[in-house]
Amino acid sequence: IAGITQAPTSQILAAGRRMTLRCTQDMRHNAMYWYRQDLGLGLRLIHYSNTAGTTGKGEVPDGYSVSRANTDDFPLTLASAVPSQTSVYFCASSTRVGDYEQYFGPGTRLTVT
Amino acid sequence: GENVEQHPSTLSVQEGDSAVIKCTYSDSASNYFPWYKQELGKRPQLIIDIRSNVGEKKDQRIAVTLNKTAKHFSLHITETQPEDSAVYFCAASITGANSKLTFGKGITLSVRP
């Protein structure tokens, strides 16, 4: 793989179910991010990780959790999905935290019914 | 925290004309200002960025200007083409260990052939 990938591409999920969105990058970037994109609201940061082993909360972290066990992977988990979590989710990475270009994955379209 | 606003929310121009998209930010400590372009159904991609130590930066048909006193920055696209049609996001951040980008809500640019 080259760059940053996400899986699944899309998912329909029943409310109350648990779901993990996967994100993998092969650029050896230290920093990784999860955003959600909703019409009219732009890109909002959910969680981020400055380096493997550390994570932090973004603007809209409630209902989501992340882990960063290694440099390449940064999964996002919805413990008990709710309809308001219907969105397009983008994972991104950058060389380091700060004023560096963020490279985005292709996105995951999640619908919670 | 930082608040980034974009004006207008939509913009339509004739092919060949220029387009100007403006953003304002609230935190005077912000010093990094990137612009991302998102084509329909695609991932956001960085097109240009500027740091607070310069007032203008150009790259072929696009340029960004920064006014730190007024806390606003603008994206200028000259000789617009249909492929410039997209959603454009501005963002702002403070460089440092806990730096995080705050995105505006996005502006939809339509270039009429």
Side-chain angles (χ1 to χ4, degrees):
Chain A
I1 55 173
I4 182 166
T5 60
Q6 294 182 234
T9 301
S10 65
Q11 182 76 44
I12 299 173
L13 187 68
R17 296 297 294 271
R18 180 184 179 89
M19 175 76 189
T20 295
L21 308 185
R22 300 185 298 279
C23 175
T24 300
Q25 53 100 2
D26 66 354
M27 297 177 283
R28 308 304 295 171
H29 284 173
N30 284 316
M32 297 188 74
Y33 316 85
W34 274 104
Y35 295 92
R36 61 176 291 174
Q37 183 174 27
D38 303 290
L39 192 63
L41 296 178
L43 293 160
R44 294 182 292 169
L45 183 66
I46 304 171
H47 284 287
Y48 66 95
S49 170
N50 290 348
T51 188
T54 68
T55 62
K57 294 181 179 181
E59 180 184 355
V60 289
D62 293 343
Y64 307 94
S65 63
V66 292
S67 62
R68 188 86 185 277
N70 56 60
T71 298
D72 298 346
D73 302 300
F74 190 43
L76 176 74
T77 297
L78 290 67
S80 179
V82 295
S84 61
Q85 293 178 310
T86 293
S87 187
V88 178
Y89 291 86
F90 285 101
C91 180
S93 70
S94 61
T95 304
R96 291 193 294 274
V97 66
D99 56 344
Y100 297 94
E101 178 176 1
Q102 291 191 15
Y103 295 83
F104 284 79
T108 292
R109 183 174 294 277
L110 181 67
T111 302
V112 182
T113 61
Chain B
E2 176 67 277
N3 182 44
V4 177
E5 295 188 354
Q6 297 188 234
H7 309 279
S9 58
T10 61
L11 180 63
S12 180
V13 299
Q14 191 71 40
E15 182 178 358
D17 287 350
S18 294
V20 181
I21 303 171
K22 301 178 182 179
C23 276
T24 59
Y25 61 98
S26 61
D27 191 340
S28 58
S30 290
N31 54 9
Y32 175 62
F33 309 94
W35 284 90
Y36 283 79
K37 174 184 180 183
Q38 185 181 28
E39 297 176 4
L40 187 63
K42 301 289 183 62
R43 70 192 79 185
Q45 291 186 297
L46 179 73
I47 56 171
I48 195 167
D49 57 13
I50 192 168
R51 291 168 174 77
S52 60
N53 57 343
V54 296
E56 183 177 2
K57 183 177 179 180
K58 291 182 179 181
D59 184 2
Q60 298 182 348
R61 294 189 298 109
I62 60 173
V64 56
T65 58
L66 172 64
N67 184 326
K68 283 189 67 69
T69 301
K71 290 190 286 187
H72 70 70
F73 55 112
S74 300
L75 178 70
H76 305 254
I77 306 174
T78 60
E79 301 173 17
T80 53
Q81 302 168 4
E83 53 264 37
D84 294 328
S85 295
V87 178
Y88 291 82
F89 293 98
C90 61
S93 75
I94 305 168
T95 56
N98 293 310
S99 171
K100 295 180 290 292
L101 277 180
T102 298
F103 284 88
K105 290 178 169 53
I107 290 175
T108 300
L109 174 66
S110 300
V111 179
R112 305 186 302 273

